[in-house]
Amino acid sequence: MLPRDPSRDELAFLLEGGGSDQDLFAAARDDLHRDIGDVVYMRGLIEISNRCGKNCLYCGLRRDRQGLDRYSMAPEEVFSVLAGGYRLGLRSFLLQSGEMQGIDHLEGVAAVLRWCREELPGTRMVLSLGELPEDGYDMLRASGGERYLLRIEFSSPSLYRRFHPDDALHSHDRRVEALQYLGRSGWQTGTGVLIGIPGQTCGDLADDLLFMRDMDIDMVGMGPYVESPGTPMAGIAGPAPDPETRTVLTLRMTALVRLMTEGVNIAATTALQTLSPDGLERGLMAGANVVMPNLTPAVYRGRYDLYSGKSEVNDSPERIIGELGRRFRSIGRELILEDPGDPPHYRERMMEMERNHG
Ligand code: SF4
């Protein structure tokens, strides 16, 4: 149903709802079944710090936000969460924080990675810490980091400028270069975009799809825009599309990425679940194959306040995993434990790199 090499106009047409969503999602599931299987992999999410040096206009963690109780977890606290998740069968964890260039932060993360390599064999650590200097990525990789998620947010430089302050910290070019560096230095590389922000068109989202395909990424973590009260967004943009419109746009983006790539891991994100109570199932039925239960200790969880109404389940990790397994079985999907769930695309890409350099 999707042309082999879709044009921007063809993608925009489908994103606008010009085709059948049922057919689109079924085609995406067929591709997933062929390339990876009817499985769901888990990444245990640990929000290790809510500090950030940047000031993205839409984000509740932005540097200038007043009144947010900032925290950074000590490595020992992170070890304990990791060990608990490992005992339950998790073999991949995502360490996430705002963007900080300070060496203390990176050394703390490196200590966690080294501990994990020694104590939790067979685990793949995913990092989402924003842009770093190249030697920062190298140091984290040498310490045991294997996957890095750096969302481009907007492939359009003009939209990127609109929603990020015009200061020395924000550069669309530099962000693209960082993604390219991650890809060629051997990281499993992920990116993603923000979907349904006011003023964004289906043409912009079509460009995002083409960008993700052309960057040859291994993982996708994208989600709908969710408002964060108290950020400057209210002053610069009109209202966002209603939550269901943003949800459906995200599902169409998920299906289209699945159809335009081969063997990549695609997450059904917390933001999708925030806008729609069955957002995880809907994301999986549109071609996603990864979920990221939040393992951040309760004492910190509410303070990682990215946007309003963030979906949280205040239950033990054991019960959360059991419940997710039941929910996914009901839609014909098997939750996989004790397997880090490498994307086949990464193996292919590394073999290709070796051939080109060999
Ligand atoms: S989106 Fe990321 S970099 Fe921007 S303010 Fe929020 S946490 Fe910081």
Side-chain angles (χ1 to χ4, degrees), residues 49-63 97-99 129-131 153 164 170 175 304 306:
S49 173
N50 66 354
R51 299 180 203 281
C52 187
K54 278 188 167 168
N55 243 339
C56 305
L57 300 184
Y58 46 82
C59 178
L61 301 190
R62 63 196 309 272
R63 184 188 65 218
S97 74
E99 187 169 312
L129 313 172
E131 286 167 58
E153 307 294 5
H164 298 98
H170 288 92
R175 206 158 179 90
Y304 204 85
L306 283 171

Side-chain angles (χ1 to χ4, degrees), residues 28-331:
R29 288 197 301 277
D30 284 349
D31 271 24
L32 174 64
H33 175 78
R34 182 195 66 207
D35 296 339
I36 297 181
D38 299 326
V39 294
V40 182
Y41 296 120
M42 276 207 273
R43 318 284 176 238
L45 169 64
I46 311 175
E47 297 157 331
I48 56 173
S49 173
N50 66 354
R51 299 180 203 281
C52 187
K54 278 188 167 168
N55 243 339
C56 305
L57 300 184
Y58 46 82
C59 178
L61 301 190
R62 63 196 309 272
R63 184 188 65 218
D64 289 354
R65 175 168 175 195
Q66 302 295 313
L68 181 64
D69 194 4
R70 305 279 177 172
Y71 72 88
S72 294
M73 288 175 68
E76 295 71 22
E77 291 179 288
V78 185
F79 300 163
S80 151
V81 178
L82 289 168
Y86 191 85
R87 277 195 297 275
L88 295 173
L90 295 186
R91 293 295 179 269
S92 185
F93 298 90
L94 168 62
L95 305 183
Q96 191 168 57
S97 74
E99 187 169 312
M100 288 173 275
Q101 304 281 338
I103 191 68
D104 289 354
H105 179 52
L106 290 191
E107 282 181 348
V109 175
V112 171
L113 295 172
R114 286 192 297 270
W115 181 87
C116 201
R117 190 164 55 189
E118 290 297 312
E119 303 292 330
L120 308 180
T123 299
R124 295 262 190 281
M125 296 300 284
V126 198
L127 304 176
S128 179
L129 313 172
E131 286 167 58
L132 303 174
E134 290 183 0
D135 57 1
Y137 297 128
D138 295 347
M139 188 264 269
L140 294 173
R141 185 143 170 75
S143 303
E146 295 186 75
R147 300 171 170 165
Y148 206 100
L149 177 65
L150 182 70
R151 283 173 40 149
I152 188 71
E153 307 294 5
F154 309 100
S155 66
S156 149
S158 65
L159 267 189
Y160 189 89
R161 265 197 305 278
R162 180 156 184 231
F163 295 115
H164 298 98
D166 186 16
D167 61 25
L169 292 174
H170 288 92
S171 154
H172 189 266
D173 284 350
R174 213 172 42 234
R175 206 158 179 90
V176 173
E177 282 160 19
L179 266 176
Q180 289 167 333
Y181 182 76
L182 288 164
R184 70 172 180 270
S185 55
W187 288 86
Q188 289 185 26
T189 304
T191 194
V193 293
L194 204 46
I195 298 164
I197 203 163
Q200 187 182 42
T201 66
C202 285
D204 294 322
L205 292 170
D207 286 334
D208 291 342
L209 289 167
L210 294 167
F211 174 87
M212 287 189 274
R213 180 197 65 186
D214 294 345
M215 289 297 288
D216 207 14
I217 39 93
D218 307 303
M219 318 182 285
V220 177
M222 60 186 172
Y225 166 67
V226 186
E227 297 88 341
S228 179
T231 63
M233 277 297 284
I236 61 157
D242 65 71
E244 181 59 16
T245 302
R246 278 176 269 164
T247 299
V248 171
L249 268 178
T250 305
L251 299 176
R252 290 179 188 146
M253 289 286 286
T254 301
L256 288 166
V257 177
R258 174 62 68 203
L259 291 167
M260 292 167 67
T261 57
E262 219 173 290
V264 306
N265 280 340
I266 304 176
T269 57
T270 308
L272 191 55
Q273 197 178 15
T274 297
L275 289 192
S276 168
D278 57 352
L280 291 187
E281 285 91 337
R282 293 175 77 186
L284 295 174
M285 293 301 278
N289 68 315
V290 170
V291 297
M292 299 186 288
N294 194 341
L295 306 184
T296 309
V299 62
Y300 299 124
R301 211 179 277 188
R303 289 147 74 182
Y304 204 85
D305 187 25
L306 283 171
Y307 46 73
S308 74
K310 192 169 141 216
S311 173
E312 301 286 5
V313 182
N314 287 317
D315 212 339
S316 70
E318 193 168 9
R319 287 168 66 108
I320 292 172
I321 292 169
E323 177 60 20
L324 288 176
R326 272 189 294 282
R327 282 168 59 182
F328 299 158
R329 265 195 304 280
S330 76
I331 57 167

